[in-house]
Amino acid sequence: MRRTGDSKLIQELNRFIILDMIRKHGPISRSEIAKRNGISPTTVTSAVGELIRDGLVCEDGIGESSGGRKPIMLRFYPDGQFLIGISLTNTAVTIAELNLEANVRHKERFAYDKPLSGDDVIAYLFASLEQFLSRYDDRSKCLGISIIVPGIVDAANGAIRYNSKLNLKNVPLKELVEAKFGLKTWLENDANAIALAENSFGRGTHSDNMLYVTVGEGVGMGIIVNGAIFRGHNGGAGEFGHTVVQQTGTRCDCGNIGCLENNVGWPEIYSRILSAHAKGKQTVIIELAGGDVTRISPALFRAALQQNDQVCLDIMEEIAATLSIGIVNLVNLFNPSLIILGGEIVRDNPLFVKRVREQVMDKALFILTDGLEIHATALGEEFPMVAAAAVLLQDVFHFSL
Ligand SMILES: [Zn+2]
């Protein structure tokens, strides 16, 4: 019995290696795959047969001969199967169909018409998913569903341990979705998933030790250590937003005072804009919002920065300085080779990234800044969906670049 198990495992490993080689180096011939990997031609032929049957690989023309018969070339076929990516946030459920290169083929956003909490969130997710999946008569080509959500996630068991804003505690979401929809399901924390996506498809493909930091409503982080997500004991590693940068200030959702996210997140930026306006300082953002302060958004903040608005520039400087203190601590703790900045405050905001980079390079231990790169995310607009896809693809195919 043991022998059967071993040979099955070897067969499966060969299949991964061969698929990965075709994906990265295709078009490529069967004999070239055998030669490059030291796998026998018979094994390659039978594994390729399976991959073609599963719709993962296709034959694509005739290659150059190195003596004998001209070889048939093989390439990865990313549209032979698909997956469903879901992003569950405080404001909406977004669901998309993606191919195996994490390209979005169809997407729908189901926005909440009132704030949802607890069981109502899960009921809303199920209703949205049911509606989305109703377009598929045949789900046999669907690899499964990958859900990303903020908060503390037990990825191994597919459970949301804690999400304060949606009031979710110990929800076995993977089990619930699998039971209702009959599709294999993955669950991951959103920042972890984005870090993984940066590591698989984005800027971090050559970095085994990298951090992804997101600044928007709150501050989150995904940590890649030695090429894998670092989760900590309870799946809560990376609560960067709740690291303490002040001994005073407003009380945070987490119960503490002086948390980083209350000093650099969008609500803080927004309140600083309002207080500058109340003091009679002139700022273009009021005009950009059509005189309606409730319409002031991160996008308008970025637009005001582009117009060199002094009030917004001053606020950005203060925010960048505080965030830099946190990131200096991260550099000194993790010694990453790459830090990627994302989130609504950072996106399309090169000046902000530049100021953070300058201050971190200046203040972190000089040995640790040697070779350190700090960049804005390159994942593009569909990053939550790409992140969800990366979780599934990494697990099913061990896809990485
Ligand atoms: Zn906190």
Side-chain angles (χ1 to χ4, degrees):
M1 289 307 283
R2 182 67 202 272
R3 178 168 298 185
T4 315
D6 281 354
S7 72
K8 263 203 176 142
L9 181 66
I10 290 168
Q11 238 177 26
E12 201 157 299
L13 283 174
N14 281 332
R15 205 176 118 96
F16 283 137
I17 293 167
I18 292 165
L19 178 60
D20 216 35
M21 170 132 289
I22 296 170
R23 199 169 64 88
K24 288 176 185 162
H25 303 286
I28 186 169
S29 69
R30 288 172 178 80
S31 61
E32 186 66 22
I33 296 169
K35 204 162 76 187
R36 286 208 205 177
N37 290 293
I39 302 174
S40 81
T42 331
T43 304
V44 172
T45 301
S46 104
V48 166
E50 274 181 36
L51 291 169
I52 291 176
R53 199 191 57 215
D54 290 348
L56 294 168
V57 164
C58 62
E59 294 185 332
D60 187 19
I62 309 291
E64 286 300 307
S65 164
S66 56
R69 201 151 46 103
K70 285 189 174 173
I72 298 167
M73 303 305 274
L74 303 163
R75 73 174 171 83
F76 179 50
Y77 185 60
D79 296 310
Q81 297 188 18
F82 68 95
L83 63 98
I84 303 293
I86 300 181
S87 160
L88 175 62
T89 70
N90 304 336
T91 51
V93 174
T94 309
I95 309 179
E97 175 193 323
L98 298 102
N99 77 358
L100 302 193
E101 283 177 333
N103 291 321
V104 173
R105 295 199 301 204
H106 174 70
K107 186 176 82 169
E108 283 177 49
R109 187 167 184 274
F110 302 88
Y112 312 151
D113 49 18
K114 60 178 194 304
L116 294 180
S117 162
D119 290 346
D120 291 345
V121 176
I122 306 303
Y124 191 86
L125 167 67
F126 279 18
S128 308
L129 187 53
E130 190 148 20
Q131 191 181 322
F132 188 90
L133 289 177
S134 66
R135 61 201 304 270
Y136 301 98
D137 293 330
D138 176 15
R139 296 180 191 173
S140 64
K141 295 288 181 199
C142 180
L143 282 168
I145 298 170
S146 181
I147 306 171
I148 63 167
V149 61
I152 297 176
V153 169
D154 174 353
N157 293 302
I160 300 173
R161 287 285 164 244
Y162 184 55
N163 177 311
S164 61
K165 297 213 167 69
L166 292 173
N167 189 26
L168 299 171
K169 251 186 201 170
N170 292 322
V171 180
L173 193 58
K174 170 188 160 73
E175 205 180 299
L176 295 172
V177 173
E178 287 182 345
K180 182 152 174 65
F181 297 97
L183 287 164
K184 190 162 189 238
T185 301
W186 285 257
L187 181 72
E188 182 58 274
N189 162 273
D190 56 351
N192 282 351
I194 297 168
L196 192 68
E198 291 282 5
N199 199 237
S200 306
F201 304 106
R203 283 195 188 268
T205 55
H206 300 291
S207 177
D208 276 348
N209 289 285
M210 55 164 272
L211 306 172
Y212 168 77
V213 172
T214 168
V215 188
E217 277 295 308
V219 173
M221 174 161 82
I223 307 168
I224 304 278
V225 172
N226 297 335
I229 294 174
F230 177 76
R231 303 178 185 282
H233 176 55
N234 291 323
E239 287 294 328
F240 182 43
H242 298 289
T243 56
V244 180
V245 292
Q246 271 191 348
Q247 287 190 324
T248 55
T250 48
R251 192 163 293 279
C252 178
D253 286 345
C254 77
N256 207 347
I257 282 172
C259 290
L260 178 68
E261 80 176 23
N262 292 330
N263 287 279
V264 305
W266 173 246
E268 173 64 16
I269 297 174
Y270 181 63
S271 89
R272 288 188 190 207
I273 295 168
L274 291 190
S275 103
H277 176 55
K279 284 178 194 154
K281 291 191 185 169
Q282 288 304 310
T283 161
V284 72
I285 202 164
I286 303 295
E287 272 167 52
L288 292 173
D292 178 357
V293 293
T294 63
R295 287 177 53 201
I296 294 174
S297 64
L300 292 189
F301 178 62
R302 296 193 305 263
L305 288 175
Q306 268 168 8
Q307 296 186 26
N308 286 321
D309 178 71
Q310 199 54 49
V311 165
C312 289
L313 281 169
D314 290 346
I315 293 171
M316 187 210 73
E317 281 297 334
E318 289 162 11
I319 299 295
T322 309
L323 181 66
S324 300
I325 292 172
I327 295 181
V328 165
N329 292 337
L330 294 180
V331 171
N332 292 349
L333 283 169
F334 290 99
N335 184 200
S337 64
L338 173 65
I339 296 174
I340 295 174
L341 301 175
E344 277 202 292
I345 309 301
V346 178
R347 205 175 63 206
D348 302 325
N349 195 346
L351 183 62
F352 184 82
V353 177
K354 178 173 174 278
R355 292 298 294 131
V356 170
R357 184 189 300 120
E358 284 166 357
Q359 294 179 63
V360 171
M361 291 304 184
D362 186 40
K363 291 174 184 158
L365 277 173
F366 73 96
I367 295 287
L368 307 189
T369 56
D370 187 18
L372 170 65
E373 291 186 30
I374 299 176
H375 295 295
T377 176
L379 284 179
E381 291 239 326
E382 301 289 7
F383 70 94
M385 296 297 115
V386 175
V391 171
L392 186 154
L393 294 173
Q394 167 88 12
D395 193 52
V396 174
F397 300 114
H398 307 274
F399 277 7
S400 64
L401 291 170

